[in-house]
Amino acid sequence: EISDNVLNLMPLPCVVKDPGNDFRYVRCNQAFASLHHLKPAEMVGKCDKEFYEDKSLEVIHRTDADALAKRELIHFEDTCLWGDCNRRVFLYCKLPMTLKDGRTLLFCVAQDVTEIKQKINTEHFRNEITAFLLGHSEPEELLDFVAKRLLETLGIEHLHTRS
């Protein structure tokens, strides 16, 4: 089983759901609980319908079912109504895990990407990319330019890559 220590080492909000018990939360980390202004222990036994609007619930339930049916990691994006009518964009990953006792749990991770999407969806950013496209036809030049502009726009000085 996933220990609370491992979950709490993860900076992104994580929750483990039990599909055999109405997808109720079995565990979560502090980052996930904090989104809902609760402690991890207070989240156990709760489920998505207690926190999300109907439109998001449709996406959550469909993707829970997809992950379980495919038995593999899935990724998706959803825009949720958050707090005081504040729309937030999240990227989600879901992974079914089978335990030694044969039960399957669903491990879910979320990342709020609202600010990133706002920065790269500005008219100024799109105009820069379009202007570059008009003067350059080499795909590698375009990729280099877009990568450089993304890093600058997001305030990232250096990108660490795996070899």
Side-chain angles (χ1 to χ4, degrees), residues 61-125:
H61 294 160
R62 181 176 36 81
T63 56
D64 284 353
D66 286 351
L68 291 168
K70 293 178 182 176
R71 308 219 42 82
E72 64 183 22
L73 178 68
I74 66 163
H75 303 86
F76 69 99
E77 180 180 296
D78 187 34
T79 302
C80 302
L81 189 61
W82 204 258
D84 300 328
C85 298
N86 186 11
R87 292 234 168 250
R88 307 297 295 174
V89 180
F90 286 89
L91 289 180
Y92 295 91
C93 296
K94 295 185 177 188
L95 178 67
M97 302 178 306
T98 303
L99 304 179
K100 291 177 185 176
D101 65 7
R103 288 184 308 139
T104 298
L105 298 178
L106 191 60
F107 181 72
C108 309
V109 180
Q111 181 173 14
D112 186 343
V113 294
T114 307
E115 283 83 18
I116 292 171
K117 290 193 72 85
Q118 288 170 345
K119 287 179 180 180
I120 63 175
N121 283 330
T122 64
E123 187 174 343
H124 176 73
F125 185 81

Side-chain angles (χ1 to χ4, degrees), residues 46 53 61 153:
K46 297 195 180 301
E53 63 180 10
H61 294 160
T153 300

Side-chain angles (χ1 to χ4, degrees), residues 21-57:
N21 186 18
D22 241 359
F23 290 90
R24 297 208 172 270
Y25 303 155
V26 178
R27 285 200 155 98
C28 74
N29 66 359
Q30 184 60 51
F32 184 82
S34 294
L35 288 174
H36 304 290
H37 309 289
L38 295 171
K39 295 177 181 165
E42 296 171 313
M43 297 295 292
V44 173
K46 297 195 180 301
C47 59
D48 295 322
K49 66 183 174 188
E50 297 175 51
F51 300 105
Y52 302 101
E53 63 180 10
D54 288 344
K55 181 182 173 231
S56 291
L57 283 172

